[in-house]
Amino acid sequence: MLLHEQEQVLSYNGEVLVFQLSGPKHMEGAAGKTTNLSVRRMAFDRDTKLFIQKSSGVFSMHGNPLEAEIICCSSTTDSRSGLVLPCVLVKKKKRKNVLKYLLLLLHSSNRFEQCFHFKLDYELREDVRLFAGPSVLWRHDSRLFHVSRDACAVRSAPLQLSSVVWAGETGEEGVLVLGVRAACSPESEDEPEFSTSDGAIWGSEFFAYAIETQKIMSGTSFMPHAYSRVVSSVCVCKNEVLRKQLRISLVAVTQKNQLVWFQDGLPKGVCELPYEKPCSVKTAVTTSNNMLFIVSFASGNTCAIWRDSFQVASKWQKVNYVLVDDFIGSGTEQMLLLFKDDSCEDVLSTFRISDFGEINYASGINYKDDTPRAEGLQENSLLTVQALETRLQAGYTSIRELQHHLRLKKKVILESCRALIDLVQERSHILPTAEKVKFRREGLVSLWDDTENPLHSLNKEASMTAKVPEHFVEKLWQRVVDDRLIVGVKLAESFSLSLSDVSLSLVVDPDVTLISPIIECQNKIITLNKAFSALAISSCQIEPPPKKMKLDFDSKNDLEEDLHKRSLKNQLDRAKTFIAVTSLSPLLAFHSVRCTVLLHAKKPKHQRDGLQNSKKITLLCGKILLSLEDISQGKYSVKMLRDNSYCTGSLEDILAVLAASIRFSFQIVSSEYTLTPVNSWLLGEMECTPFKEYHKNLVCQRMGNLHGTVLSWTQKSPFEGVLTLFCRNMSVLFQCLHSLTGALPPSTDIRLLRSGSKDRLTDQLALALEKEVLISRNSFSSKENEVEKSGTWGKRTSKKISDAPVAPFLDSKEGVQQFRKKLQHEREESILSMNQAVNGALYQKMALKMAEAQLHSDMIVWRLS
């Protein structure tokens, strides 16, 4: 090699990249003005057992090749694409002793890309390293400097150090630099104290510095400070964060000619090295997942050490380069040794590939005569097994990535819940700086800090909430019944009539972080009419009374108006309360809890085509405070007192008892005797008293488990009636039934009704079927209007052959043929008129409305069955 030529080698994806810096060939021996950086991609050929050139590339720079130099090369991650690409750092000398450094990326097409450049007034000689970004890190005059693509300016770390033993990436802190500095007192409370005796003995210590956060940490999680004066290089095998603590496994070479294995900052094994002055160490994972530590020495010697036994596996002398990669394509790593050969200029002329197993290739050996034929079959079997092992390892890696992805999802969901709570409570959500760095490192972008066009978002939100009345909540209350918390919301009458599918949800304030912010609760809607017919149903749909009338297309508007008036009158006679029931015990564990009450509903929107579309809305009803002290004092307890012959209690107390109870309805039929004993049983043995405002429902005042049970008796005839019970649990129900059967004649038939009386379900079914007919008619009418506007239907069917006399056509053979053709044409026109196309959006709305109505009808039929 000539004096003005330089070479560096790098392994990349199983290939050997040979970088050569030289000047033009015709200016050999003279100072040229152009410097060429060339690359040769060399791949191992298993047939010839030699390295052959696959492709090449060149990058030309202005400058004297005698003043240019390749500082280092490595494979780093390109932050733009996430790909790992070869990277080369080149030095150029400029005027006035100013040095210019270029960082180049090599793409798969052998095209060099200049990432950035920087200028220094000194040469880079100490601890130069390349890492992700790409970025450059080096040490000069006991200071640490770095420069990256994002910030092309050279930055210095606020610390002094004597050496850098390792630099790499960790999951939490990003790029970490492990260095050695003079012993000093800790700069933060988290760092352990460095005793005076340790400082006097060793005089130096390890420290870790995070490039992104500029955080300085103690290096005791890597190695004890006692090794700070002897460690020259480190290779981190594994790093992870467990319980917010960095766990690291590494090997280090020392100036005492030792290889030491450290686990979580403690030495676990030592191996004596066969040569002096070790300078670097790297790892290789070979066949059967065996790990090797490869140590290089300043004298050009190299040795390999087994990870399991920590014994020297082999050693070599006069080694120029040591590379680790899958050079033969077996799925595992091999070690490539490039030896010094003064007789040949090619750096790949003398080599050895080995994994200390089945793979062993060396230059200068004729494998054709020494290899038996059966070895080919054995080699194929070995490669198959190795490929399967590689797939298994890849599957394990995929599982770990999925677990990491799930942990990341959990973080995002928790942060989203906090943001939702702040939004409901009208507070601005601020993402912590540490979380921003973590999310940015994972490739996520925070949406909570999005301030793009805030005026538009504010106006949009105001326009959406403008349709909601300012005081739509008339009353928000809470009660405690046994081990249940009951929260009720009464809405303004006009606003309540325009909602459907109403439900409540309770959200805990973010001060309580040990439980899920969303409380699981059961929603109920209790309707009390003047006759106190208590209904606990799961939706807020109000059914008008059934109508027996013939449906025709001419009475469409009259029928809809009559339906609206009857439904409105029926709704005004009732007072609806929306209630959420949840378990009380988990909330009492925190002594005091504040919850936000949200209301979810659908608000119908009328459209021009006669169909309706619902829009989901979420409204803030208010907040409730629940404390153990208030509950102990009976502040939220239900109070039902006996006043003369009536039971006095507020409407909220009655609703709370009904919401906390389970509703059962029984049909009682007696074919031989009248059912007068039922009233005697209610007033006598059960000791029931009616509510003061709602006389048809009674409360059991009998001491014991039955106390507080609500009963309702509706007698349809002297021999038939329906008894409704609201029981706290099944035990109370069985006690009531046992007492009732003893008071009734033996021939009495008691039957459980699934969902109310049979007559009520029949009425609901009639209304549901009527709604199906209305939806079908509205859909047909909308299509009929479209056809009438187009006018094509009328043109097709305006002239029918059936309206003309038939006799003239039958006088001759030609007349019959003409009549047949016209008849066929009329039939085709009729078919076309029946197969009218429907707009896709209109058909989707029609099908959705019809499906919802049919589903409701099917549910009622199932209950009747």
Side-chain angles (χ1 to χ4, degrees), residues 270-321:
V270 180
C271 176
E272 295 292 334
L273 299 176
Y275 303 110
E276 295 181 353
K277 297 181 179 180
C279 57
S280 66
V281 57
K282 62 178 67 175
T283 61
V285 181
T286 60
T287 310
S288 301
N289 209 22
N290 294 325
M291 180 177 285
L292 285 169
F293 298 126
I294 304 170
V295 182
S296 300
F297 298 84
S299 58
N301 301 329
T302 301
C303 71
I305 299 169
W306 291 111
R307 160 67 177 81
D308 297 332
S309 62
F310 229 56
Q311 299 293 324
V312 177
S314 184
K315 54 184 179 180
W316 305 269
Q317 295 181 348
K318 296 183 179 180
V319 178
N320 199 9
Y321 295 101

Side-chain angles (χ1 to χ4, degrees), residues 253-280:
V253 292
T254 68
Q255 299 174 6
K256 302 295 183 179
N257 304 327
Q258 294 176 331
L259 180 69
V260 187
W261 170 37
F262 294 92
Q263 181 71 39
D264 298 332
L266 299 177
K268 296 295 182 179
V270 180
C271 176
E272 295 292 334
L273 299 176
Y275 303 110
E276 295 181 353
K277 297 181 179 180
C279 57
S280 66

Side-chain angles (χ1 to χ4, degrees), residues 98-115:
V98 175
L99 301 178
K100 182 178 181 181
Y101 292 88
L102 305 177
L103 191 64
L104 306 175
L105 277 178
L106 178 63
H107 293 275
S108 57
S109 60
N110 293 327
R111 179 181 63 87
F112 285 93
E113 176 191 0
Q114 180 178 331
C115 292

Side-chain angles (χ1 to χ4, degrees), residues 698-768:
L698 306 98
V699 180
C700 179
Q701 300 289 348
R702 180 178 172 181
M703 299 302 295
N705 294 334
L706 300 182
H707 183 78
T709 304
V710 180
L711 302 95
S712 175
W713 170 243
T714 303
Q715 192 166 357
K716 298 184 177 181
S717 68
F719 303 96
E720 182 183 359
V722 175
L723 178 65
T724 303
L725 297 92
F726 292 87
C727 307
R728 295 193 306 274
N729 49 54
M730 298 298 294
S731 176
V732 174
L733 172 65
F734 292 141
Q735 292 182 48
C736 291
L737 292 177
H738 176 72
S739 177
L740 176 63
T741 53
L744 294 176
S747 60
T748 305
D749 182 22
I750 302 177
R751 182 178 301 174
L752 174 66
L753 300 179
R754 288 180 178 267
S755 300
S757 63
K758 185 175 181 180
D759 292 340
R760 177 175 175 78
L761 290 177
T762 305
D763 295 344
Q764 291 181 1
L765 179 59
L767 293 174

